[in-house]
Amino acid sequence: MTHRAEEVPRTVGAVPTPGPSARPGNRTPVRGRTVVLTGALLLGAALTGCADGGAAPVEATPRPSAPATAGDGRARTSEGMLLVTDFGADTVTFLDPSEPDGGPGRSSVEVGTAPYGIALADDGTAWVATAEGVAAVDTATRERTALIPYETGTGPVTTGEYRGGGMGIALSPDGKQVYVGVNVPGGNGTLEVVDTGERRVVAAVPVGRRPFDVDVSHDGRQVYTTGHDSFDVTVVDAGTWRSRRIEVAPYGTEGGAGSWLKPHYTAVRPSDGALLLPFEGERLAVVDPGTGRVGIERMTADTHQHGAAVTEDGTLYVVGTGPIDPAEDEGPSLTVRSPGGQERVIPLDGPHEDVAVSADGRTAYVSGGFTRDGYGNGISVVDVTSGEVRRVAAGERPLGIAVL
């Protein structure tokens, strides 16, 4: 484990004040994403795809969608619907997970190129990380109300696994700031801070490479970015915007035998604020963000893992995307891990990416998109008690997912 000297961030305009000590409004945090190739092709994809890998956006005018409506013409956006990002398109899609086709209320809203992560605010605004900027979507009217350009230069706007722009995204507990991890192809990323009232970037902090995920401590004082290609978590102080690097590499870093087994997503444990990072269905890295200590616990799914979420009772949900080595590893799955470490592994049909959990904890929603080849265009709805899985149609290559 190594630590990086404190880095002084770049500040754009006024520096936002840290949020008050409070729990996030979203009681089932989402963090916020898989491959099925064969033989040597799959191993080659693992070695490269989970390794390193235009035009400036402008402020947007609202773009109305065409949602399903009730008899009085109002859009139907009911509690319990899902909102997913369509990484293979430039939209987010509203859908009813109880209906195989997404229900009569299904519709899509244009947000920006290759949308990735999503964070839902208590006021009904969905904040979406795209290649062009951070989009704000009014979930009641189903329209994009803003597209906030990044301060970080990311090159031409592109699509695909290695595209520049926003990846992980999270909200401060008070909802006053949005934190987005911005990928810079071929270089280190930044954490950009958006003032949700003024709708502009107010600070940018250097972080690790390809920031797959962004999380916030329960008291709002720290922000965590997960650097996929730098094998680390960057801990950012939300008052001073200074940062510390914690290496998280249970299989080694660049040049080692397992250097292609990298961190993807992080969940913040409610009981003590520890950071939970799953690796390969074999190891769970438990990080103390204060001391930088990294402990390792055993996992059992034996599959390449991406998305992770934890509920208030401490249950951890981890998405398995499929085998690195088909001759030895297991297929796609969802791991349900109790606070005591007991695990249930529920098989899934095909690669998946991220996971969200219903408010009552009975249902997990797993996005069928993936940052690499082998993705599907649906959501797997998992009954956590019985293990029953059914499929719901979604948008094109769904990655990020939130429960409305």
Side-chain angles (χ1 to χ4, degrees):
M1 176 182 66
T2 60
H3 294 270
R4 178 173 61 203
E6 288 189 340
E7 297 181 0
V8 179
R10 186 162 49 84
T11 304
V12 183
V15 176
T17 55
S21 177
R23 309 239 353 145
N26 183 355
R27 300 305 180 194
T28 55
V30 180
R31 288 292 35 98
R33 299 167 188 205
T34 295
V35 286
V36 175
L37 301 175
T38 58
L41 284 179
L42 182 102
L43 184 56
L47 287 165
T48 58
C50 285
D52 286 333
V58 295
E59 290 290 343
T61 56
R63 300 191 181 186
S65 61
T69 58
D72 58 6
R74 292 179 300 174
R76 294 176 185 232
T77 303
S78 58
E79 183 176 356
M81 291 190 75
L82 303 181
L83 184 58
V84 299
T85 62
D86 301 323
F87 190 62
D90 57 0
T91 57
V92 294
T93 296
F94 293 81
L95 61 93
D96 183 345
S98 68
E99 302 284 347
D101 62 355
R106 173 177 167 166
S107 70
S108 299
V109 179
E110 187 176 349
V111 290
T113 304
Y116 198 98
I118 185 169
L120 185 64
D122 285 343
D123 67 0
T125 301
W127 298 90
V128 184
T130 81
E132 302 175 60
V134 179
V137 176
D138 186 320
T139 59
T141 62
R142 299 194 184 185
E143 64 180 4
R144 188 183 77 179
T145 58
L147 180 63
I148 303 161
Y150 302 118
E151 293 291 332
T152 303
T154 61
V157 174
T158 61
T159 61
E161 179 185 5
Y162 299 104
R163 69 124 173 94
M167 298 186 73
I169 191 169
L171 277 159
S172 62
D174 61 10
K176 293 182 178 180
Q177 285 92 38
V178 171
Y179 308 111
V180 58
V182 179
N183 178 45
V184 179
N188 289 334
T190 60
L191 177 74
E192 295 209 0
V193 183
V194 174
D195 184 297
T196 58
E198 297 183 3
R199 297 198 167 187
R200 66 184 182 92
V201 176
V202 293
V205 183
V207 296
R209 304 183 72 170
R210 292 184 72 205
F212 257 65
D213 199 11
V214 176
D215 298 88
V216 183
S217 65
H218 293 141
D219 61 11
R221 295 179 181 178
Q222 293 182 327
V223 185
Y224 312 114
T225 67
T226 305
H228 177 273
D229 288 359
S230 48
F231 302 89
D232 59 22
V233 170
T234 301
V235 179
V236 179
D237 187 293
T240 65
W241 306 117
R242 293 185 177 274
S243 65
R244 294 179 288 112
R245 175 183 183 265
I246 302 174
E247 183 177 287
V248 188
Y251 292 89
T253 58
E254 293 293 352
S259 63
W260 34 273
L261 304 178
K262 302 181 179 184
H264 293 86
Y265 297 91
T266 300
V268 181
R269 189 160 63 190
S271 61
D272 59 1
L275 310 182
L276 307 177
L277 291 87
F279 286 81
E280 307 310 313
E282 296 177 338
R283 304 178 189 183
L284 179 68
V286 181
V287 181
D288 184 328
T291 65
R293 294 191 181 94
V294 180
I296 301 296
E297 298 179 6
R298 181 176 178 270
M299 298 189 75
T300 61
D302 192 23
T303 186
H304 194 56
Q305 290 178 321
H306 277 208
V310 65
T311 51
E312 289 296 321
D313 66 357
T315 302
L316 178 66
Y317 299 78
V318 183
V319 180
T321 69
I324 289 291
D325 183 352
E328 297 184 4
D329 304 331
E330 298 295 331
S333 63
L334 176 69
T335 293
V336 182
R337 182 182 176 94
S338 75
Q342 294 78 31
E343 293 187 344
R344 293 176 56 227
V345 179
I346 301 171
L348 298 176
D349 183 12
H352 291 66
E353 182 68 19
D354 208 354
V355 58
V357 185
S358 64
D360 60 12
R362 296 178 180 177
T363 309
Y365 308 105
V366 193
S367 58
F370 183 46
T371 53
R372 288 196 58 77
D373 295 333
Y375 60 87
N377 292 331
I379 301 294
S380 286
V381 180
V382 182
D383 185 305
V384 174
T385 301
S386 69
E388 178 184 354
V389 181
R390 56 186 175 82
R391 193 77 163 175
V392 175
E396 186 175 347
R397 200 171 183 174
L399 288 190
I401 183 169
V403 182
L404 299 176

